[in-house]
Amino acid sequence: MKIISYNDLEHIVKTGDVISIAALSVGNLPVEILKNLAEQHDENKKVNDLTFVVSNDISDFDDGFDLDSFVTRGMVKRIITSLVIASPFTVKAVKNNEIEMYFLPQGIIATQYRHQSSASPGMISKIGLNTVVDPRYSGGRVNDVTREDIVSVIDIDGEEYLHYKFPKIDVALLRGTYADEKGNIYMTHESHLGEGYAAAAAARSNNGKIIVQVKEIIKNGSYNPKDVFIPAELVDYVVVNKDPKYHKQVIQDYYDPALAGHYRIAEPRQGFPEFDARKIILRRSAQFLSPGDGVSIGYGINNELSNLLREEKVDELVNLNIDTGIFGGMIGSGNRFGMNYNLDARIRHDMTWDFIFNDGLDIAYLSFAEIDRHGNVNVSAFGERLNGSGGFIDISQTVQTLIFSGTMVVGSKAECREKTLEIKEEGHTRKFVDSVKSMDFNAAYSRQLGQQVYYVTERAVFELTDAGLKVIEIAPGLQLEKDVLSQMDFKPIIAEDIKVMDPEIYQETWGKLQYSIKGE
């Protein structure tokens, strides 16, 4: 291990390099490394045609030293990721065919590093079959300039698999809290662990370079050896952070010990969800839970589910998981999503996908942008937005019970009165459409997998059947034709015994979720 200055970076990162970054938002993001690489390019224009491999969305939401800073400088050839939310200039460049982009499943990207050795044929998995990732759809290619096929269908013993052909890693740009004098990396203050170890190992197998940004160099033996996250043998260079704003633990904080699991807080840092249509959806969705369930919490409306469970005093009845590697606790929402207080355990990001892929979860709560008559779901492309699906595809093809949650019509306004729902103003964009824009969830394939699938809105609940989408419940106070069917581009199957959704959830104070979960 060699301690270097930021000025040395221009001699390490080269034009055409494939760069791995293991981060989520600003968590574990080596912002000061990115800042210096971008500013050095302003002076010498040396480094161009870069490929970034990033499993999750990254941004510091501050000075913009993230994907946008490289794309706007013309330094990027290709990005392979699962999700882009906080990089508007990157999305614009993709739409304008200025750079190549692949959206692939988050779990596949996080775990593929271990398949980059000479002993492996590459990443082979069923995850992604029959979705937008499958080459029979788009192979994950996002625009016209992205032409290379990096996903193919192969046959093994009569079964179909996808073969993912990721580029070899030339440089891993990583972050830790401390490096000792030998170069061992510790994640003492980080909010999650990420897949930095796997990325470093992949770079080493390709004779690449591993650069780690840390807060400080500490004396050998300062910590227990079991606390080492990346051993010194996998670290080439260490740079020491100079400005704390470029080494924040989360968007809002430089360092909160509770988010690193150093103690448990007595009072939650976030309040309970406001009473509105979203809260009604969360309540009805939560009624599908059973005691002891392993629960995957997805991004969007469902990242408030943890706060709802706390409000209902049932959070100890189930086991929550965020695919960043966080188990239990108070799951953050909004910009703090994926960052937990009072967590029970945390493991490496790639290891979390091992847990998920091996049936560690019982039920998953996922969002939707569009649903069609067959029950197919689009979560990644809607309107002018081009997001990617994150871990949606991985999870939705792994968990046996799926709850897709969301409002029925974009922009609609509803009110509750005397335990009934009233639509005060109709919305402007329907979510139940003839055909989805992006095949992120394939309903027919789900039926082959034997999954139970429900779609929960504030107005009605739908179930996936062999014959297609079936409406099985309607909100109290609504008319099926006027308030539900007229807002769909197709007519679903109507259950013969269609039920009324629990009127008790349509009031500000509820407090009865425990009875649903316990089956009382």
Side-chain angles (χ1 to χ4, degrees), residues 109-174:
I109 299 176
T111 55
Q112 58 84 26
Y113 293 111
R114 66 183 66 152
H115 298 279
Q116 291 204 12
S117 72
S118 58
S120 173
M123 186 72 182
I124 296 174
S125 175
K126 289 190 174 184
I127 299 298
L129 279 171
N130 304 301
T131 71
V132 67
V133 176
D134 192 313
R136 291 167 292 197
Y137 288 83
S138 74
R141 298 188 301 272
V142 180
N143 57 12
D144 294 336
V145 76
T146 308
R147 299 187 179 93
E148 182 182 354
D149 292 323
I150 65 172
V151 186
S152 60
V153 180
I154 63 174
D155 181 279
I156 300 177
D157 295 333
E159 295 190 42
E160 287 186 338
Y161 292 82
L162 294 183
H163 181 209
Y164 292 87
K165 188 178 179 182
F166 284 86
K168 300 290 186 181
I169 303 301
D170 297 304
V171 181
L173 300 180
L174 307 175

Side-chain angles (χ1 to χ4, degrees), residues 302-403:
N302 293 301
N303 66 24
E304 286 279 8
L305 183 60
S306 172
N307 293 328
L308 175 75
L309 297 179
R310 282 196 299 107
E311 181 181 16
E312 291 290 319
K313 298 180 174 59
V314 297
D315 48 313
E316 295 298 324
L317 295 179
V318 296
N319 305 302
L320 304 183
N321 170 256
I322 294 293
D323 53 47
T324 53
I326 303 297
F327 293 79
M330 303 174 186
I331 296 176
S333 58
N335 288 337
R336 290 185 184 269
F337 178 65
M339 312 307 175
N340 291 29
Y341 292 99
N342 297 359
L343 53 93
D344 296 323
R346 67 174 186 172
I347 61 177
R348 287 170 18 198
H349 185 209
D350 51 313
M351 292 175 64
T352 309
W353 289 108
D354 294 335
F355 167 79
I356 294 171
F357 293 160
N358 285 283
D359 301 323
L361 298 170
D362 300 296
I363 186 170
Y365 286 83
L366 303 168
S367 300
F368 64 84
E370 293 179 331
I371 299 168
D372 68 19
R373 68 176 67 248
H374 306 291
N376 301 319
V377 178
N378 161 30
V379 74
S380 63
F382 45 100
E384 294 300 311
R385 301 183 70 176
L386 188 67
N387 288 352
S389 60
F392 178 97
I393 292 175
D394 313 83
I395 293 170
S396 66
Q397 292 192 337
T398 307
V399 180
Q400 281 302 298
T401 301
L402 298 171
I403 312 296

Side-chain angles (χ1 to χ4, degrees), residues 10 73 77 101 109 127 139 141 152 223 246 287 289 297 312 359 389 409 451 454 491 493 516:
E10 65 177 307
R73 287 171 168 84
K77 172 187 176 183
M101 172 77 86
I109 299 176
I127 299 298
R141 298 188 301 272
S152 60
Y223 285 97
Y246 300 125
Q287 289 180 317
L289 290 168
I297 303 295
E312 291 290 319
D359 301 323
S389 60
V409 183
Q451 295 173 313
Y454 298 94
K491 185 174 181 178
I493 303 165
S516 296

Side-chain angles (χ1 to χ4, degrees), residues 191-472:
S191 57
H192 70 289
L193 295 181
E195 68 273 20
Y197 168 81
R204 172 65 75 246
S205 71
N206 190 43
N207 295 316
K209 301 300 181 183
I210 299 96
I211 309 171
V212 186
Q213 174 183 315
V214 299
K215 290 182 177 181
E216 191 176 352
I217 305 296
I218 60 174
K219 187 174 179 58
N220 292 339
S222 297
Y223 285 97
N224 193 306
K226 69 179 177 62
D227 294 328
V228 173
F229 180 65
I230 304 176
E233 289 78 5
L234 288 180
V235 179
D236 295 300
Y237 305 106
V238 168
V239 287
V240 179
N241 171 244
K242 295 180 179 179
D243 188 338
K245 71 182 289 188
Y246 300 125
H247 203 108
K248 293 189 295 185
Q249 182 191 46
V250 291
I251 297 167
Q252 299 88 345
D253 300 313
Y254 172 64
Y255 170 53
D256 182 341
L259 279 177
H262 295 312
Y263 59 75
R264 300 173 77 88
I265 60 175
E267 295 294 330
R269 304 281 169 86
Q270 292 178 298
F272 301 135
E274 295 182 6
F275 181 60
D276 55 15
R278 291 168 63 91
K279 189 166 189 174
I280 291 168
I281 294 167
L282 288 171
R283 286 174 170 176
R284 178 62 190 94
S285 297
Q287 289 180 317
F288 286 102
L289 290 168
S290 298
D293 273 351
V295 185
S296 175
I297 303 295
Y299 187 71
I301 183 174
N302 293 301
N303 66 24
E304 286 279 8
L305 183 60
S306 172
N307 293 328
L308 175 75
L309 297 179
R310 282 196 299 107
E311 181 181 16
E312 291 290 319
K313 298 180 174 59
V314 297
D315 48 313
E316 295 298 324
L317 295 179
V318 296
N319 305 302
L320 304 183
N321 170 256
I322 294 293
D323 53 47
T324 53
I326 303 297
F327 293 79
M330 303 174 186
I331 296 176
S333 58
N335 288 337
R336 290 185 184 269
F337 178 65
M339 312 307 175
N340 291 29
Y341 292 99
N342 297 359
L343 53 93
D344 296 323
R346 67 174 186 172
I347 61 177
R348 287 170 18 198
H349 185 209
D350 51 313
M351 292 175 64
T352 309
W353 289 108
D354 294 335
F355 167 79
I356 294 171
F357 293 160
N358 285 283
D359 301 323
L361 298 170
D362 300 296
I363 186 170
Y365 286 83
L366 303 168
S367 300
F368 64 84
E370 293 179 331
I371 299 168
D372 68 19
R373 68 176 67 248
H374 306 291
N376 301 319
V377 178
N378 161 30
V379 74
S380 63
F382 45 100
E384 294 300 311
R385 301 183 70 176
L386 188 67
N387 288 352
S389 60
F392 178 97
I393 292 175
D394 313 83
I395 293 170
S396 66
Q397 292 192 337
T398 307
V399 180
Q400 281 302 298
T401 301
L402 298 171
I403 312 296
F404 295 109
S405 307
T407 55
M408 190 163 183
V409 183
V410 178
S412 64
K413 296 181 180 178
E415 288 184 3
C416 293
R417 185 174 302 172
E418 297 181 353
K419 299 182 183 180
T420 64
L421 185 69
E422 180 181 353
I423 306 302
K424 303 296 291 185
E425 184 178 326
E426 201 47 84
H428 52 77
T429 304
R430 296 181 179 183
K431 294 185 179 182
F432 287 77
V433 297
D434 281 326
S435 60
V436 293
K437 187 175 181 180
S438 179
M439 182 68 78
D440 299 320
F441 171 77
N442 188 309
Y445 185 53
S446 172
R447 300 304 293 167
Q448 293 180 34
L449 297 176
Q451 295 173 313
Q452 289 185 305
V453 182
Y454 298 94
Y455 310 78
V456 179
T457 75
E458 78 282 22
R459 305 186 192 197
V461 178
F462 302 82
E463 181 181 11
L464 180 61
T465 71
D466 290 336
L469 205 65
K470 177 192 285 188
V471 57
I472 59 174

Side-chain angles (χ1 to χ4, degrees), residues 42-62:
D42 292 340
E43 298 177 4
N44 56 41
K45 312 295 183 187
K46 283 184 179 180
V47 178
N48 296 290
D49 292 328
L50 298 173
T51 292
F52 284 92
V53 180
V54 189
S55 69
N56 222 319
D57 190 47
I58 59 171
S59 179
D60 71 342
F61 291 90
D62 194 353

